[in-house]
Amino acid sequence: MKIAVLGTGMVGQALAGALSSLGHDVTVGTRDPESTAGKTEPDRMGNAPYPVWAADHPAVTLATFAESARDAELVVNASGGAVSLDVLRQAGADNLAGKVLLDVSLPLDVSAGFPPSLFVSNTDSLGEQVQREFPAARVVKSLNTLNATLMVNPGLLGEGSTVFVSGNDADAKSTVTSLLEALGHTDVIDLGDITTARGTEMMFAGWIRLMGVLGTSKFNWKVVR
Amino acid sequence: MKIAVLGTGMVGQALAGALSSLGHDVTVGTRDPESTAGKTEPDRMGNAPYPVWAADHPAVTLATFAESARDAELVVNASGGAVSLDVLRQAGADNLAGKVLLDVSLPLDVSAGFPPSLFVSNTDSLGEQVQREFPAARVVKSLNTLNATLMVNPGLLGEGSTVFVSGNDADAKSTVTSLLEALGHTDVIDLGDITTARGTEMMFAGWIRLMGVLGTSKFNWKVVR
């Protein structure tokens, strides 16, 4: 499948690398490819600059948000939640129309320090905002409940855990579920329409505190039933 | 231990019955004991009226919110979230002072139909509202992430799952953790101070959708790490 991964950060790198390893034709989308390709400094989180990662992933190409989305069959929104709507506008509504849009973003509000709160929650969600603004895209919210490493390698945990899909389009959820299973996820729960993204986005409030007390982000939710 | 369980509904009955079975001296608190003791109709959820339950639990006594709290060493808020602050006011700040207040309530807003949203979330929680209004009580938020049956019998699930405690008082959390372990909980995570109740209360948004797609409330979260 031709896949665009919008976002060059830790989540974008993890997903682009893993999807490329699975044999997909992956392009990473960025605001300014020349600037991204020229980076030499680690990001604010201490992650290596994009070119260091790209050197290890020669099959993954780099393009603008719009170019990558235009040529893709499936688009992954791996940008930060605060800029996601802007990134998707740059990708272009026409380039997203009819396509599966896997949205892994979280609506983090860091304006009041740590822990972040959510800038939309409870009676709305970022997943819904994306779907409303791009009605012709087939938005599937998923993978927003665990860290980037576990998104693409859930087997790192000693036992199976759960991920979720939320969206209005059954075929799109089916496509995403197949991708998730290819990444190693063994328990994918379809929560329902895109309004159920409220639930998974709001799990962040517990997740961030768990990270604090467990001293690691290497954990995941499992629905025991 | 002398325990007051405020609330005569499904959650109050489950906790009062289980804590009594463990050998604690349990009084159920209600607004009007005479009215509660005279009920003959099932509640809106179809649960048997309180006297039917009480006949099976002769060791559990019934008293006003204030009487039950006054005589208790530990108070459980098992009232609906929308009335919890009012119930606790009736119990009386003096009767709660210095005591462990185990708050299992959820701030459900049913005004817009199903699914309920939360009337407080994200940057505040009902647990924090309770602690602010009753600063001398030692509030511990817990058991607000699973159904009443599993609260008191987590072994009904085929594998272990997780519950959480949130609160400002370490001794109070330790007391509650011991009670939870006596009820059969094998993985109790101390999330931190009472502000971490935001996280567990917000997990309701995912829980209610899971109940819909799983067709049962007999499930629980487990933190796999």
Side-chain angles (χ1 to χ4, degrees):
Chain A
M1 206 165 13
K2 285 179 75 74
I3 298 178
V5 175
L6 310 183
T8 60
M10 200 163 43
V11 172
Q13 289 178 18
L15 287 169
L19 293 169
S20 175
S21 294
L22 288 173
H24 297 289
D25 181 2
V26 178
T27 298
V28 168
T30 189
R31 201 172 299 265
D32 178 348
E34 205 171 324
S35 163
T36 298
K39 278 188 179 160
T40 56
E41 298 294 319
D43 69 13
R44 285 170 302 176
M45 306 288 284
N47 301 300
Y50 184 83
V52 173
W53 179 88
D56 286 337
H57 298 83
V60 176
T61 53
L62 189 65
T64 65
F65 291 130
E67 287 162 352
S68 63
R70 185 192 60 212
D71 297 338
E73 301 163 73
L74 182 145
V75 178
V76 181
N77 174 32
S79 67
V83 298
S84 284
L85 288 172
D86 182 51
V87 163
L88 292 168
R89 283 177 205 128
Q90 290 190 46
D94 288 350
N95 294 329
L96 299 173
K99 295 178 185 172
V100 178
L101 175 52
L102 169 55
D103 175 26
V104 306
S105 66
L106 278 172
L108 302 190
D109 177 355
V110 299
S111 62
F114 191 89
S117 60
L118 303 178
F119 63 73
V120 56
S121 70
N122 195 25
T123 55
D124 196 6
S125 63
L126 185 52
E128 289 164 87
Q129 291 186 344
V130 169
Q131 184 64 83
R132 282 198 302 270
E133 176 137 354
F134 302 96
R138 299 149 73 204
V139 178
V140 179
K141 191 93 199 191
S142 190
L143 291 180
N144 54 325
T145 51
L146 73 177
N147 84 5
T149 306
L150 294 174
M151 283 181 195
V152 299
N153 196 353
L156 286 175
L157 294 173
E159 78 177 86
S161 55
T162 306
V163 289
F164 308 91
V165 290
S166 301
N168 299 339
D169 185 300
D171 287 342
K173 286 190 284 192
S174 175
T175 299
V176 169
T177 298
S178 297
L179 274 185
L180 296 175
E181 290 170 348
L183 290 169
H185 292 283
T186 53
D187 185 28
V188 182
I189 296 182
D190 180 350
L191 280 179
D193 68 22
I194 193 64
T195 67
T196 64
R198 297 173 196 176
T200 55
E201 292 180 6
M202 289 165 79
M203 286 164 66
F204 173 79
W207 185 92
I208 191 70
R209 299 305 192 119
L210 276 168
M211 190 182 75
V213 297
L214 298 177
T216 175
S217 63
K218 194 181 155 192
F219 64 88
N220 191 24
W221 308 101
K222 175 178 183 173
V223 178
V224 176
R225 71 276 197 194
Chain B
M1 207 167 13
K2 285 177 77 73
I3 297 178
V5 175
L6 310 183
T8 60
M10 201 163 44
V11 173
Q13 288 177 18
L15 287 169
L19 294 170
S20 175
S21 294
L22 289 173
H24 296 290
D25 182 1
V26 178
T27 298
V28 168
T30 188
R31 202 172 297 266
D32 178 347
E34 204 171 326
S35 163
T36 298
K39 278 188 178 158
T40 56
E41 297 295 320
D43 70 13
R44 284 171 302 177
M45 305 288 283
N47 300 300
Y50 185 83
V52 173
W53 179 87
D56 286 337
H57 298 82
V60 176
T61 53
L62 189 65
T64 64
F65 291 131
E67 287 162 352
S68 62
R70 185 192 62 211
D71 296 339
E73 300 163 73
L74 181 147
V75 177
V76 181
N77 175 33
S79 67
V83 297
S84 284
L85 288 171
D86 181 51
V87 162
L88 292 168
R89 285 178 204 126
Q90 290 190 46
D94 288 352
N95 294 329
L96 299 172
K99 295 177 185 173
V100 178
L101 175 52
L102 169 56
D103 175 26
V104 306
S105 66
L106 279 172
L108 302 189
D109 177 354
V110 299
S111 64
F114 191 88
S117 59
L118 303 179
F119 63 74
V120 56
S121 70
N122 196 24
T123 56
D124 195 6
S125 63
L126 185 52
E128 289 165 87
Q129 291 186 342
V130 169
Q131 184 64 83
R132 282 200 301 271
E133 176 138 354
F134 303 95
R138 300 149 71 202
V139 177
V140 179
K141 191 92 199 191
S142 189
L143 292 180
N144 54 324
T145 51
L146 73 176
N147 85 3
T149 306
L150 295 174
M151 283 182 195
V152 299
N153 196 354
L156 287 175
L157 294 172
E159 76 178 88
S161 55
T162 306
V163 290
F164 308 90
V165 291
S166 301
N168 299 338
D169 186 299
D171 287 342
K173 286 190 284 193
S174 174
T175 298
V176 168
T177 298
S178 295
L179 274 184
L180 297 174
E181 289 170 348
L183 290 168
H185 292 284
T186 53
D187 184 28
V188 182
I189 297 182
D190 181 349
L191 280 179
D193 68 23
I194 192 65
T195 67
T196 64
R198 297 172 197 175
T200 54
E201 292 179 6
M202 289 165 78
M203 286 163 67
F204 174 79
W207 185 92
I208 191 71
R209 299 304 192 119
L210 277 168
M211 189 182 77
V213 296
L214 298 177
T216 175
S217 62
K218 194 180 156 193
F219 64 87
N220 192 24
W221 308 102
K222 175 178 183 172
V223 178
V224 175
R225 70 277 198 192

